[in-house]
Amino acid sequence: MKPELVKGSRSNILARLVLIIAVVFALRLFYLQIIKHDHYVAQAQQEQVKRERLPATRGEIYAMSGDTPVKLVMNETVYTVFVDPAVIKDADKVIDVMKSVAGGNVRKDFEDMVKKKESRYQVIAYRLTRTQADKIKEKKLTGVGFQAVSQRVYPEGRLASQVLGFVNAEGAGNYGVEGFLNKQLAGKDGRLETVTDVSDVPLTVGGRNIREPAKNGDNLVLSIDRTIQSKIEDVARERAKKLGTDQLSIVVMNPNNGKVMGMANYPDFNPAEYYKVTDGNLFNNAAIAKNYEPGSTIKTFTMATAIDKGVARASDTFYNTDRIQVDDAKIENATKGKTGTITFQTAMNWSLNTGFVTLGQRLGNGSNITKTARDTMYDYFHNRFHLGQASGVELAAEAAGGIVSPDKQEGNEVRYANMTFGQGMDATALQVAAGFCAVVNGGNYYKPTVVNGVVEDGAYKANAEPQPVQKGVISADTSAQLRDMTQKARASAFSHVDKPGYTIGGKTGTSQVPKAGGYSDSETIASYVGFGGAEKPEYVIMVSMYGEGKVLQGAQHALPVFTEISNWMLDYLKIQPKG
Amino acid sequence: MSHTPTYYNSRRQQSFSRNQNTTRFQSAIKLGPVAHTVLVALMITVLGLIYVTQATRTTGYDYQAQKIDSQIAELNQQKSELEVESARLTALEAVKNSTVAREMVKPASTQYVSE
């Protein structure tokens, strides 16, 4: 007999009730598992899946030591110590341990922070080494935690600090190479999305784990030679202190490829302690960031323009009266007495302004610096020698300077007369050095560069040899004449200071400082740009210095700096004398 | 209740009268639907346990991998520290201030020998 529930019986009611509950359960489960499926899956993932940033390692920076890269900037893991005062059991013990292990790294008021019971998080020490951190961990102090952070470390100390720049607390490069090539050095962070356990250990369960490895930053090799850099920094420091200058810059370039072999400034800063610098100007690399009126060093450019245009040669003559009238302005020589009919070589030797204004006039109609002459000068100075515009060197905060176009009202005859001897225009020391390289190297302009290549997997990979960005800015013959002229100009008064058997040439510069609508007579910028080598120029050295309220002379103050470095360079580069 | 075994004569036995122990056993125990369900459930449970065991083993590897990763990170950090120390020791300033360098003298002049 088939058992049946009696209709209306309690069992029947119970069965129906169970059925209804089961249906309710089924509907609820359908709602939760089918309709709200995505919502709950997302919620579960939110709790179970951990998303982590895999930080890219910032690239290291190398300098050259001869042909071998050496490390200038590296990375180091250091530790920040924080406390949770609310859970600290023995505050005195924490203070004692911190004092004895991390005395120099604790914050001044860290004792108060440790005892601040109402707070849950206080940072009490920065930049602890791993050894220090391990010693503190051994003490098993309750309420003390560590956070590992990567920081830049400089094994060579202050060397090339303004070329390098620094990396701030947020990990961003500032100034120098760190600022300019920040993206390349920083690399790209990776990411990790995975199910983890309660201890945050990634587990391989689940099918949605994502692991994108970080792309580490490039390890850059600079063209800066460590030994040259050290030498010129020593010289800059000693000379600046001796002369009492506020600023002294030295640039050493290879004129045959545009590579910067050294770039030093006084004063500089310690990149490992950039946060202690109170004067922001110290971060600026004056050789690229400070515009100035270059003065008589520009006479080499004016001479090159005149020779290249075929309006003058070194042996050509002009009549010197020590003063020359241009429109409503009277221009005088700083050195007087070389009057009469003299050659342009003599004008170069004695740095006579009148000779170079005359060259400007010969670029025009012979008696005026006409619009045609101004156009020619602008073409050579700005478009060919790249003066008055950012060079594009791989260093942040480069100043452009400026040369007033002859198409503008301010680009009149008087301005261009001043420009023939380097006043009335703005340039940086690097621009003058790079332009001078083209003057003496045969007439090819190379973009200045501080990057030589990269280190990949421990191996140095050099960039392709730089090619001139502009060939034939002046002819090879003009360049040869300028080498000869600058050599004679130097030898005319300073032949005894150079090592015999080498070709050393250069030009002094003493420029007035524009102040309050005019030029100051009590402040000058001294500079010297020159080259050295045997059969061909092997290096170009640019020196500039300035001191507030100081009258500094190119020949008296800047030239000896060039000489000291030049004689040292001949030995360091193992350049054999001619013959 | 007794039952009689049914003997099975293989073809080989028929031909050669050997392999006399070859039999076809027919169990008298019949499995009902409940027993089948229980057995299937048991099999599923066993399979589930095997899966859980394997998954746990995989997780165990995760912990091992994590431990090795930590060791690699630790060793890399030590390597970096040694590299920094090495760079500091070979820095120009350190070399200049070394006792060997201090005893060196500057050459009075440089001579080049031409071939």
Side-chain angles (χ1 to χ4, degrees), chain A residues 199-496:
Chain A
S199 309
D200 283 345
V201 175
L203 304 175
T204 46
V205 295
R208 294 186 180 178
N209 291 348
I210 297 171
R211 187 186 181 90
E212 286 177 8
K215 186 187 177 301
N216 292 335
D218 289 345
N219 297 314
L220 291 178
V221 180
L222 303 184
S223 60
I224 299 290
D225 185 286
R226 179 175 68 162
T227 312
I228 295 174
Q229 183 68 25
S230 174
K231 174 67 183 175
I232 64 175
E233 285 190 6
D234 286 349
V235 172
R237 197 175 303 115
E238 285 164 18
R239 295 278 176 169
K241 284 180 180 171
K242 190 177 168 187
L243 299 171
T245 65
D246 295 326
Q247 180 254 316
L248 198 157
S249 298
I250 303 171
V251 178
V252 181
M253 285 183 73
N254 183 338
N256 305 306
N257 56 23
K259 288 182 180 178
V260 177
M261 297 191 280
M263 186 182 276
N265 296 288
Y266 176 86
D268 60 2
F269 71 100
N270 182 356
E273 294 181 336
Y274 71 89
Y275 46 87
K276 290 183 180 174
V277 173
T278 50
D279 179 7
N281 281 325
L282 287 180
F283 295 137
N284 279 319
N285 180 345
I288 62 150
K290 192 173 169 60
N291 288 319
Y292 74 112
E293 297 195 17
S296 296
T297 52
I298 293 300
K299 286 170 181 168
T300 55
F301 296 79
T302 307
M303 193 75 225
T305 306
I307 294 175
D308 207 54
K309 292 302 285 183
V311 300
R313 295 183 70 83
S315 55
D316 287 355
T317 58
F318 73 102
Y319 194 77
N320 176 37
T321 58
D322 275 345
R323 58 186 61 83
I324 191 165
Q325 190 73 30
V326 178
D327 202 7
D328 59 346
K330 189 196 290 178
I331 294 168
E332 296 190 4
N333 290 329
T335 304
K336 293 189 171 61
K338 307 293 170 191
T339 49
T341 303
I342 59 170
T343 63
F344 287 109
Q345 179 66 60
T346 307
M348 182 74 85
N349 296 354
W350 293 97
S351 198
L352 304 176
N353 295 342
T354 51
F356 294 88
V357 175
T358 303
L359 287 176
Q361 291 171 339
R362 290 192 185 179
L363 285 167
N365 59 14
S367 53
N368 292 98
I369 304 176
T370 59
K371 177 70 167 51
T372 308
R374 300 201 295 274
D375 284 339
T376 303
M377 281 181 65
Y378 184 83
D379 179 41
Y380 275 77
F381 281 26
H382 186 267
N383 300 339
R384 298 183 184 222
F385 297 126
H386 296 252
L387 297 170
Q389 57 184 299
S391 69
V393 69
E394 303 89 344
L395 299 169
E398 185 186 12
I403 291 180
V404 178
S405 163
D407 296 329
K408 291 185 177 175
Q409 194 182 351
E410 302 82 44
N412 54 29
E413 187 177 8
V414 173
R415 176 176 290 277
Y416 271 74
N418 282 324
M419 277 170 51
T420 62
F421 51 90
Q423 299 278 171
M425 57 184 281
D426 288 322
T428 64
L430 182 69
Q431 286 171 23
V432 175
F436 189 75
C437 286
V439 170
V440 297
N441 72 4
N444 297 319
Y445 181 85
Y446 291 90
K447 181 176 93 73
T449 179
V450 292
V451 179
N452 245 10
V454 293
V455 168
E456 280 179 10
D457 303 324
Y460 169 45
K461 291 185 179 172
N463 288 343
E465 187 65 9
Q467 296 300 310
V469 292
Q470 212 171 335
K471 286 183 178 177
V473 295
I474 54 173
S475 70
D477 179 57
T478 304
S479 177
Q481 288 190 54
L482 258 297
R483 285 199 297 274
D484 186 55
M485 281 189 82
T486 49
Q487 190 188 356
K488 283 176 178 163
R490 182 174 173 81
S492 66
F494 309 102
S495 61
H496 60 286

Side-chain angles (χ1 to χ4, degrees), chain A residues 74-82 105 125-134 137 145-153 169 272 275, chain B residues 77 80-81 84 88:
Chain A
M74 304 172 78
N75 299 308
E76 186 179 45
T77 303
V78 290
Y79 296 84
T80 299
V81 185
F82 59 89
N105 302 79
Y126 293 105
R127 299 183 181 84
L128 267 66
T129 63
R130 197 167 61 89
T131 313
Q132 286 175 306
D134 286 346
K137 282 175 190 171
F146 299 85
Q147 188 185 2
V149 287
S150 180
Q151 75 167 15
R152 293 300 235 184
V153 58
Y275 46 87
Chain B
Q77 200 179 322
S80 299
E81 285 172 11
V84 170
R88 278 187 177 133

Side-chain angles (χ1 to χ4, degrees), chain A residues 60 71 74-77 79 130-131 134 153-156 159 197 200-205 211 226-227 230-231 234 499 502 570-571 574-577, chain B residues 51 55 58-60 62-63 66 69 74 77-78 80-96 106-107 109-110 112-114:
Chain A
E60 295 178 325
K71 290 178 181 181
M74 304 172 78
N75 299 308
E76 186 179 45
T77 303
Y79 296 84
R130 197 167 61 89
T131 313
D134 286 346
V153 58
Y154 305 86
E156 298 285 349
L159 195 77
D197 71 355
D200 283 345
V201 175
L203 304 175
T204 46
V205 295
R211 187 186 181 90
R226 179 175 68 162
T227 312
S230 174
K231 174 67 183 175
D234 286 349
K499 287 192 171 200
Y502 296 98
L570 293 169
D571 283 342
K574 299 184 180 71
I575 300 168
Q576 295 197 24
Chain B
Y51 171 78
T58 313
T59 308
D62 290 336
Y63 285 108
Q66 172 73 8
D69 278 348
E74 175 78 6
Q77 200 179 322
Q78 286 180 18
S80 299
E81 285 172 11
L82 288 171
E83 281 176 351
V84 170
E85 197 54 34
S86 165
R88 278 187 177 133
L89 290 171
T90 53
L92 216 51
E93 210 55 36
V95 174
K96 272 191 211 170
K106 284 186 179 176
S109 64
T110 311
Y112 289 91
V113 178
S114 54

Side-chain angles (χ1 to χ4, degrees), chain A residues 98-99 102-108 110 124-126 128:
Chain A
M98 291 304 296
K99 273 184 179 173
N105 302 79
V106 292
R107 291 176 65 169
K108 281 180 186 171
F110 91 98
I124 59 167
Y126 293 105
L128 267 66

